[in-house]
Amino acid sequence: MKEMDANQIETYLAQYALDQVFPNALRQHLVLYRFDADEALCKQGEVPEQIFFLMHGKVKVYTTSTEGNTLLLGFTTPLDVLGEIECLSGKNILNTVTAVTTVDAIGFHKRWLPLYREEVPFLQFMLKMISEKFYSKSEALSFNLLYPVEIRLASYLLSVTTPLNAKVSTANLKDMANLIGTSYRHLNRVILNFCRLQLLERSRGKLVIKDRPGLEAAAGRNIYENGDRRGT
């Protein structure tokens, strides 16, 4: 995580029509951060310090059980808020959020929250974001694991790749299996079938997407990524 040029903050606020949301007094406390791919914005179990507003890039949201098993909750893109529930409630961070791509996020320390709890536009915005988050979380937890592994794998691969970067390392297949809620053996069977269908190809320690439209058809819709879905 590194701090970026503060002048970009106003550009982002204008881009997402947040000019009237943030009180002028709060703007002096806003900081623009940049996170590299695979860098954590929030870590499960830690005490929250910052509220982040996702401005650019994509993040992955997942939870880890006490046994060390991970479960993917979804991916999210701008505009989203991270850490606000924990900062408002005084609870530890519920889920881990890591950058999939380079991510820009505007943040401010939770100590400034009490000063702006009577600012109506700011409160209305936060309430809207939190309401959407609870709805999407309920949907994800209720339905994602009910989908076949084929749909879960196709959705995952579509979320962590782009048409210009269509490769995923096979070194982390066990982690991938945990994330989408299946066994390593079953995941390999599905990958083999996708290779037979020429959707994927295994090459030099990588899974390469050969037919992205075909993979999109296999997913039906990306269950981990939705324009109305919010992260944590």
Side-chain angles (χ1 to χ4, degrees), residues 27-87:
R27 293 194 189 190
Q28 64 181 311
H29 303 302
L30 299 180
V31 180
L32 178 62
Y33 298 100
R34 175 158 293 174
F35 297 83
D36 295 328
D38 297 324
E39 190 173 0
L41 285 76
C42 306
K43 292 183 179 180
Q44 182 177 342
E46 292 189 350
V47 177
E49 297 294 336
Q50 297 264 0
I51 295 178
F52 292 111
F53 297 82
L54 182 60
M55 297 286 114
H56 171 79
K58 181 189 292 186
V59 298
K60 174 173 64 178
V61 184
Y62 60 93
T63 188
T64 304
S65 70
T66 53
E67 294 79 19
N69 297 319
T70 57
L71 178 65
L72 179 65
L73 299 178
F75 295 83
T76 188
T77 54
L79 175 68
D80 199 9
V81 185
L82 309 170
E84 81 289 5
I85 294 176
E86 291 88 344
C87 285

Side-chain angles (χ1 to χ4, degrees), residues 12-33:
Y12 275 134
L13 294 183
Q15 179 180 345
Y16 292 102
L18 297 176
D19 307 67
Q20 304 304 313
V21 169
F22 288 96
N24 288 329
L26 178 57
R27 293 194 189 190
Q28 64 181 311
H29 303 302
L30 299 180
V31 180
L32 178 62
Y33 298 100

Side-chain angles (χ1 to χ4, degrees), residues 114-129:
L115 300 178
Y116 306 104
R117 283 180 174 165
E118 296 183 5
E119 296 284 348
V120 174
F122 181 68
L123 289 179
Q124 288 176 333
F125 172 76
M126 296 296 286
L127 178 61
K128 176 178 181 290
M129 300 297 285

Side-chain angles (χ1 to χ4, degrees), residues 161-207:
T161 63
T162 67
L164 297 178
N165 184 16
K167 298 179 181 180
V168 176
S169 173
T170 57
N172 301 314
L173 289 186
K174 288 186 178 180
D175 290 339
M176 189 188 302
N178 283 334
L179 281 170
I180 67 174
T182 190
S183 68
Y184 176 68
R185 181 175 296 181
H186 193 180
L187 177 66
N188 271 301
R189 285 198 293 265
V190 175
I191 290 174
L192 179 60
N193 187 48
F194 279 1
C195 289
R196 287 171 178 162
L197 295 172
Q198 298 186 344
L199 301 177
L200 301 177
E201 178 182 87
R202 271 187 140 153
S203 175
R204 298 181 179 180
K206 302 285 186 182
L207 281 180

